[in-house]
Amino acid sequence: MRLLRFGYVTGPGIGMLWALVIATTLAVALSFATGAGLRPTLWGALILGASCGLLVLRLGAVGYAFACGLAVVLTFSPIAPIMMEESFGSLWKGAVGLLLGLCVFGPLRIILDATPVGVLTRHEFEDAVIRFLTGFGYIFFTAIVLIPFYVMVMTSLKSQQALLQNPLDFSIDLRRGWSLFRSYFELFADFNFGTYLWTSFFISVVTVLITLAFSIPGAYAVARLRFSGRAAFSRSILLIYMVPMIVLALPIYIVFSMTGLRNSILGIVLIYPVTTIPVALYMLQGYFRGLPAEVEEAGLMDGLSRLAVIWKITLPLSLPALASVSLYVFMIAWNEFLLAFMLLDDPSKFTLTRGVAMLNSSEIPRQHLMAGAVIATVPIMAIFLGLERFMTKGLTAGSVKG
Amino acid sequence: MTPADPPKHTGALARRESRLAWGLLLPTLLIVTLVVALPLLAIFWISFKPVGLADLRPTAPVISERFRMRDGDAQVEYRVRNSSQDKPINGLSFSDTLPEGARIVDLPAPCSVDGQRLTCVFGDVEGGFRDRVRIPVVIDLPENAAEALFEGSEPVGEGRADNILTNSEFTLDNFRRVFDGDEFVQVLWVTMFYTVFGTIGALLVGLFAALLLNKSFRGQGILRGLYLFPYVAPVIAVAFSWVTLFDPFSGSANALLIQMGVTESAINFFGQRPLALIMVTVFEIWRYFPLSFLFILARMQSIDSDMYEAADMDGASPFQKFWYLSLPQLLGILSVLFLLRFIWTFNKFDDIFLLTGGNAGTRTLTVNVYEQAFAISNIGAGAAVAVVIFACLICFAIFFFRFISREEGL
């Protein structure tokens, strides 16, 4: 460890790691963007990184020129940090080299900020390592989160032949205009997705309403009123939370088959709230506990009944919590797959998730499946981004639920 | 002077409050009993019964009626059959109301007439039973009108059939089949691998993400929102995206790896034995790290900064601060998260089912329920697996409540 703590060891060392990260990231990003083959190479990246590390320590801002120059030269040499196919012209190669130089050197200046050339204190060394890890973390997380969604959206815009020809080529031909969205039009025209969208929306909203109607009184009772069995009840809510749906789904399937509730929206609306009531109850009772009891007592003193207190005082005070709970429950109902899959067979009554599951067959082209996935994702994402504050709160409060 | 004891009985006010509380809880209690408690009991019951998917349709008589004219003679024909091929029906009979003005010419043996009411009795019949009864009639109406009249009244069948779900036939075969040999060990091992590594992985990755975002900078909110995407998006959408991404023929991941020279030929990520399980676990980590990240971040932001200032004064290095200050503070939330996520990962069904369908050595206990009940059409065996799951959960829950009573705060 002691050996590592010299500026001229730490600098190039971190530089090499960083250059590897950047070379891989750029290669992957450019491959995904252009469909052409780019390949990061170990030795090129190591040389570039080590030199950039030394340049940062020695030169500061002037080093940009040297780093970019070196990166461009290396890109044209046999040990290019990013190998490119012959089809790339020199202009392209130069641009990639320049970009590489900038992306390696710029962040390295921040990572190795205030790192001396000679012996490092433990502080300085660890700070540099942490800054490197932070930079790596941002790239890593952004990449792993974005890539699947990028693939989902781009695949839905391609044609089957294009996909099989070059699976990497996600570039889209804007000249095709509206016909880019052909899969979407076909889903809505031939596969009833408009109906599914509406069914899913309807079921989710009804589930939210029923859940609130049941869980508000229950949560209030658990949070405020004294009765024997309160602690046991509180616990059993959590316990119900832990029963896996597949265990319940089997008997529910049997009963629904026998009573004819299978394949009906009514059956789904009956069963969804039950999966969400415990969550909602748990979240709401936590919030109700946090409300000052004095306000309610004042209401009681002024002659309101308990129910009137709930209606006129507690509920208006807990509107933000209700919003969080509603959004969370909406999300669960919208994303629910297992019950919809088991209980619905009739294509005219599918929810969106069930409809997307139907598209997963060898006869239906992949881009239709991905277009279906996009249709299922976009509404919930729009809600999430629009109301992120409430949503995040809801997730934190109730999210023992998987 | 009598000592002043506190009152032992509950007063009227307390009673009223408790009554109100139960009143408010009643709807929830009812619906939860109906949809959670009863099915759980049912699962235990079914797990001891030899039930297949086909047994869900109850055995019953099926009767159809046809009116026809043959050489000027009117005739009603009833066809009777047992809906089951192998189960008997006891006391099979049917009855039908004949239209006004219809007169029966000749009555075959099993039937009798009372006014306008026709009843035919067949007694106990075997599985696969079918019979037809032809009754010549006279009616003063044109053929079409008569047909509409006769076939307008539905014949009503009767008969008691043994229902496998309610009779007293029990068996241990389901459990024998579930615990049978290597398969169960394999399923259990897959479940444990998936649960343990999925949980720990999601926790560690979440902790890393939380450390990244535990500082305020421009764009922190955007990144936080972005990192929650995998959890918020519908499982079906992200699972199919992964399948598309890692497809051996048209998947971009394979194309990328081949071009980068990592691999020579395409890798079948979700169809190859040890790899599929690892991929499924990685998916679980990817999808649920946002959750741990959110919790850990919330806890981190509530840690007092005084401590860190004091540590700075004492010359602690960044890693020392993390190891000796942050980690002990986070231990509570980490262990609660671990327990909860452990149980939830154990319960997970959708993800694996959508990614691999339980093939290529990824069959966990929950997927096994589906596999047994629907793929092999043996509901009883599926229920038996469900009972095993439930038993495991009870163990976890006991452990959990021992623990969480100390770790209040979630």
Side-chain angles (χ1 to χ4, degrees):
Chain A
M1 276 310 265
R2 206 159 268 279
L3 273 177
L4 284 176
R5 276 199 251 138
F6 286 99
Y8 49 81
V9 179
T10 312
I14 288 183
M16 286 195 258
L17 290 176
W18 183 251
L20 270 181
V21 172
I22 290 296
T24 315
T25 313
L26 275 182
V28 171
L30 286 173
S31 298
F32 270 129
T34 61
L38 290 94
R39 173 200 297 187
T41 54
L42 184 65
W43 291 110
L46 290 188
I47 291 171
L48 178 68
S51 344
C52 282
L54 285 173
L55 284 171
V56 168
L57 293 182
R58 283 286 175 197
L59 289 178
V62 195
Y64 269 118
F66 288 96
C68 292
L70 179 67
V72 173
V73 170
L74 274 176
T75 306
F76 282 101
S77 76
I79 47 160
I82 298 179
M83 289 282 205
M84 289 190 277
E85 285 170 0
E86 289 306 312
S87 57
F88 283 97
S90 333
L91 200 65
W92 260 103
K93 282 196 173 178
V96 171
L98 203 65
L99 190 64
L100 186 68
L102 286 176
C103 289
V104 174
F105 192 77
L108 261 184
R109 283 197 69 200
I110 302 173
I111 292 173
L112 296 175
D113 185 33
T115 309
V117 184
V119 182
L120 301 186
T121 64
R122 188 167 173 176
H123 243 99
E124 288 162 336
F125 175 70
E126 287 180 7
D127 269 336
V129 172
I130 284 177
R131 281 193 294 256
F132 163 73
L133 286 177
T134 312
F136 168 71
Y138 289 139
I139 292 178
F140 173 74
F141 279 108
T142 310
I144 60 164
V145 169
L146 280 187
I147 286 176
F149 289 98
Y150 177 78
V151 168
M152 178 163 93
V153 174
M154 287 308 179
T155 308
S156 73
L157 302 177
K158 310 275 309 179
S159 71
Q160 184 85 341
Q161 296 96 308
L163 269 179
L164 280 173
Q165 224 166 47
N166 182 1
L168 255 186
D169 188 6
F170 285 118
S171 57
I172 45 173
D173 190 359
L174 286 178
R175 276 166 304 173
R176 280 170 60 205
W178 285 109
S179 69
L180 271 179
F181 297 97
R182 226 183 65 210
S183 321
Y184 295 87
F185 292 131
E186 277 170 20
L187 282 187
F188 278 103
D190 306 336
F191 288 93
N192 253 337
F193 261 62
T195 326
Y196 300 164
L197 207 59
W198 166 244
T199 310
S200 258
F201 181 75
F202 173 77
I203 287 180
S204 304
V205 168
V206 171
T207 305
V208 169
L209 293 180
I210 297 180
T211 306
L212 286 184
F214 277 86
S215 59
I216 289 175
Y220 186 84
V222 175
R224 273 280 185 276
L225 303 176
R226 277 155 302 185
F227 59 100
S228 49
R230 181 165 121 172
F233 189 85
S234 224
R235 263 183 186 196
S236 51
I237 300 172
L238 256 181
L239 207 63
I240 288 167
Y241 232 6
M242 291 175 192
V243 180
M245 211 52 231
I246 183 82
V247 169
L248 299 181
L250 198 54
I252 288 170
Y253 176 87
I254 294 172
V255 170
F256 274 28
S257 298
M258 287 175 149
T259 51
L261 278 171
R262 224 176 91 209
N263 262 327
S264 72
I265 304 284
L266 178 70
I268 291 285
V269 167
L270 278 181
I271 210 78
Y272 273 17
V274 184
T275 64
T276 54
I277 285 174
V279 197
L281 220 157
Y282 184 74
M283 287 163 78
L284 279 177
Q285 56 117 12
Y287 190 84
F288 286 160
R289 282 219 177 107
L291 288 178
E294 289 80 8
V295 194
E296 290 174 18
E297 278 157 17
L300 285 175
M301 293 303 283
D302 287 346
L304 288 176
S305 71
R306 267 287 179 185
L307 294 177
V309 164
I310 298 179
W311 184 248
K312 289 192 172 144
I313 298 175
T314 314
L315 283 190
L317 279 179
S318 47
L319 275 181
L322 292 183
S324 298
V325 172
S326 309
L327 277 174
Y328 190 56
V329 169
F330 186 90
M331 185 189 98
I332 295 179
W334 182 273
N335 291 352
E336 209 288 329
F337 163 72
L338 170 61
L339 288 170
F341 180 73
M342 285 179 85
L343 299 179
L344 298 176
D345 296 325
D346 175 1
S348 67
K349 288 175 182 139
F350 280 177
T351 62
L352 205 50
T353 47
R354 181 69 183 86
V356 177
M358 172 191 71
L359 295 178
N360 182 31
S361 91
S362 50
E363 286 140 44
I364 296 173
R366 257 288 129 84
Q367 69 269 23
H368 280 52
L369 176 66
M370 287 296 104
V374 172
I375 296 173
T377 312
V378 164
I380 198 75
M381 282 301 177
I383 293 176
F384 170 69
L385 290 178
L387 302 165
E388 201 218 318
R389 203 161 50 92
F390 291 116
M391 197 83 168
T392 317
K393 208 175 267 167
L395 289 175
T396 351
S399 50
V400 268
K401 175 115 183 144
Chain B
M1 199 174 117
T2 50
D5 287 329
K8 287 232 171 57
H9 62 279
T10 36
L13 263 178
R15 270 206 304 276
R16 212 168 70 191
E17 189 167 319
S18 144
R19 244 195 336 262
L20 177 69
W22 284 111
L24 291 177
L25 283 173
L26 194 65
T28 307
L29 278 180
L30 275 181
I31 192 163
V32 166
T33 319
L34 210 65
V35 186
V36 177
L38 283 184
L40 278 181
L41 289 179
I43 272 285
F44 277 96
W45 178 264
I46 298 165
S47 68
F48 289 104
K49 298 223 138 240
V51 192
L53 206 53
D55 296 318
L56 292 187
R57 200 171 298 126
T59 307
V62 181
I63 292 134
S64 57
E65 178 183 17
R66 274 180 76 188
F67 174 85
R68 64 165 76 146
M69 296 293 260
R70 194 175 275 171
D71 310 330
D73 294 332
Q75 187 186 57
V76 210
E77 180 181 288
Y78 292 96
R79 290 180 182 198
V80 188
R81 88 185 154 80
N82 184 347
S83 71
S84 163
Q85 285 301 317
D86 45 0
K87 299 213 175 52
I89 297 180
N90 296 327
L92 174 64
S93 69
F94 74 87
S95 54
D96 191 16
T97 313
L98 297 172
E100 292 289 328
R103 199 162 48 77
I104 289 171
V105 179
D106 179 28
L107 207 56
C111 302
S112 59
V113 167
D114 178 19
Q116 291 307 112
R117 192 157 184 78
L118 171 82
T119 312
C120 301
V121 182
F122 299 89
D124 302 348
V125 300
E126 287 306 308
F129 167 85
R130 55 178 69 230
D131 198 2
R132 65 176 68 170
V133 181
R134 291 209 178 97
I135 305 173
V137 288
V138 175
I139 189 161
D140 299 330
L141 281 170
E143 186 180 339
N144 286 344
E147 187 176 338
L149 261 182
F150 270 102
E151 292 178 10
S153 71
E154 288 285 325
V156 182
E158 245 181 76
R160 291 175 310 279
D162 211 17
N163 191 331
I164 189 71
L165 284 172
T166 48
N167 69 5
S168 58
E169 188 186 339
F170 292 100
T171 171
L172 279 174
D173 273 355
N174 296 325
F175 286 96
R176 220 168 282 141
R177 181 192 289 253
V178 168
F179 287 116
D180 181 33
D182 297 344
E183 199 192 73
F184 185 70
V185 178
Q186 163 79 8
V187 167
L188 214 55
W189 147 248
V190 168
T191 312
M192 272 356 259
F193 180 94
Y194 178 70
T195 312
V196 170
F197 286 102
T199 310
I200 293 178
L203 271 188
L204 290 182
V205 176
L207 179 63
F208 186 26
L211 284 169
L212 287 183
L213 290 188
N214 187 27
K215 49 186 95 156
S216 45
F217 55 92
R218 224 161 19 135
Q220 193 241 20
I222 297 174
L223 277 186
R224 196 182 58 181
L226 183 72
Y227 292 178
L228 289 175
F229 268 28
Y231 181 68
V232 177
V235 59
I236 187 151
V238 287
F240 283 145
S241 301
W242 272 59
V243 172
T244 308
L245 179 62
F246 290 103
D247 190 282
F249 305 111
S250 62
S252 328
N254 268 314
L256 200 64
L257 288 180
I258 290 174
Q259 282 193 341
M260 287 187 172
V262 180
T263 162
E264 289 286 302
S265 57
I267 304 171
N268 193 356
F269 283 100
F270 285 112
Q272 188 170 320
R273 227 144 220 281
L275 196 59
L277 181 57
I278 293 171
M279 284 304 291
V280 165
T281 313
V282 169
F283 179 82
E284 162 80 17
I285 295 172
W286 178 81
R287 191 161 141 71
Y288 294 101
F289 88 84
L291 210 76
S292 354
F293 145 72
L294 210 56
F295 272 91
I296 297 171
L297 188 63
R299 182 74 187 86
M300 271 180 181
Q301 285 172 343
S302 69
I303 298 179
D304 217 346
S305 64
D306 290 1
M307 244 173 17
Y308 292 105
E309 284 159 22
D312 276 336
M313 295 298 286
D314 290 344
S317 77
F319 278 119
Q320 282 174 322
K321 275 191 283 184
F322 171 71
W323 192 253
Y324 294 109
L325 293 181
S326 305
L327 217 50
Q329 291 280 321
L330 294 175
L331 214 56
I333 190 78
L334 283 178
S335 39
V336 169
L337 264 177
F338 176 80
L339 281 173
L340 284 172
R341 289 302 321 156
F342 188 88
I343 292 174
W344 273 103
T345 314
F346 183 83
N347 288 349
K348 208 76 235 155
F349 168 81
D350 308 12
D351 308 41
I352 297 184
F353 180 71
L354 287 171
L355 289 174
T356 66
N359 298 319
T362 56
R363 197 193 291 178
T364 58
L365 275 171
T366 44
V367 178
N368 206 17
V369 174
Y370 185 88
E371 195 76 11
Q372 299 283 353
F374 293 98
I376 312 183
S377 306
N378 189 341
I379 296 228
V385 182
V387 168
V388 174
I389 293 180
F390 195 65
C392 293
L393 277 178
I394 289 190
C395 300
F396 297 152
I398 291 170
F399 188 72
F400 179 77
F401 280 124
R402 281 264 163 83
F403 199 83
I404 204 160
S405 45
R406 284 193 284 133
E407 288 292 343
E408 212 60 59
L410 195 84

